[in-house]
Structures are given as C-alpha cells and as structure tokens.
Amino acid sequence: MVSGRSCSRPGYDLDMAKKLVIKVTAGADAPERCSQAFTVAAVAVASGVDVSLWLTGESAWFALPGRAAEFELPHAAPLPDLLDSILAGGRLTLCTQCAARRDISEKDVIEGVRIAGAQVFVQEALADGTQALVY
C-alpha cells in the first residue's frame, strides 16, 4: 500500500509492530555489531517504539557503571549516550546466566537494569506485535 501501513510480507501490518526486542551478544569483542544493536535500540526508543534491549555474552559488561564509557568505535554515537537513551525510554535487561558467569549481581548494575532469564526473553519476543532482533 502507498500509505505505508503495509509491506510486501503477506499478513504483515506496520501498525502491528510496536514492540522491539533486541538481544545484543557482542561487546568490545565485536564493536560494530555491538554499536549497531545499541543504535537501533536508541533510534527505536526515540521513535516511540516499546524497546527491550537484552545484554548477553560480552555485552553483559555494559550493565556495569562506567563500562560503556570505555567503549570506542570511530564514527559511531557514544555508547553512554545510547545507553542513557535506552534507559530513559525502554527496558534494559541483563541475562541471568551471563551475569552469573561474570559474578555480576543486582547490586552491581546501573540503576534501571534488571536481571532476567530466558523465560522472560522468550515471553517478550513472542508477544503479539513484537519484532525480535539479535546482534
């Protein structure tokens, strides 16, 4: 449709996808992939989308105060700014197992970060009107 309300995928309506769940598995080990996930999440929040960003694998470290400031990628928005935007308008979740493997507890994380497991991720990702992305 010309109105922008549908796309070429049968049964897909752009008005339906109002929630975005993003799982980022990369951190400083794959900076471009990491930055892309945070950028997409921050842009979606700024666009009024209900965003849930999940930190898994090496991105788990960004749940700790000051860690985002250590991340650098030329020609990319500063990770602390993206993180602040996501926390201001979306949800940021640290994977339970990833936290445990790194000895990170709820008392260690940035205010506003929750720790939750796969059951919660699956529930969010499969909710009606949700698009899930993995970086």
Side-chain angles (χ1 to χ4, degrees), residues 20-38:
L20 184 60
V21 176
I22 300 172
K23 179 186 273 194
V24 55
T25 63
D29 59 326
E32 286 184 295
R33 195 161 27 111
C34 177
S35 180
Q36 289 168 357
F38 276 87

Side-chain angles (χ1 to χ4, degrees), residues 8-53:
S8 60
R9 274 189 4 208
Y12 185 83
D13 181 353
L14 292 177
D15 285 333
M16 290 173 50
K18 296 295 185 190
K19 298 176 189 168
L20 184 60
V21 176
I22 300 172
K23 179 186 273 194
V24 55
T25 63
D29 59 326
E32 286 184 295
R33 195 161 27 111
C34 177
S35 180
Q36 289 168 357
F38 276 87
T39 301
V40 167
V43 168
V45 166
S47 300
V49 176
D50 180 0
V51 173
S52 179
L53 179 66

Side-chain angles (χ1 to χ4, degrees), residues 34-97:
C34 177
S35 180
Q36 289 168 357
F38 276 87
T39 301
V40 167
V43 168
V45 166
S47 300
V49 176
D50 180 0
V51 173
S52 179
L53 179 66
W54 283 72
L55 304 176
T56 67
E58 286 302 298
S59 72
W61 295 113
F62 298 124
L64 298 175
R67 289 294 183 105
E70 298 171 5
F71 182 87
E72 291 185 17
L73 182 63
H75 309 291
L79 201 61
D81 295 347
L82 298 173
L83 188 61
D84 288 346
S85 295
I86 295 161
L87 283 168
R91 283 177 311 288
L92 192 62
T93 305
L94 171 59
C95 162
T96 302
Q97 290 181 8

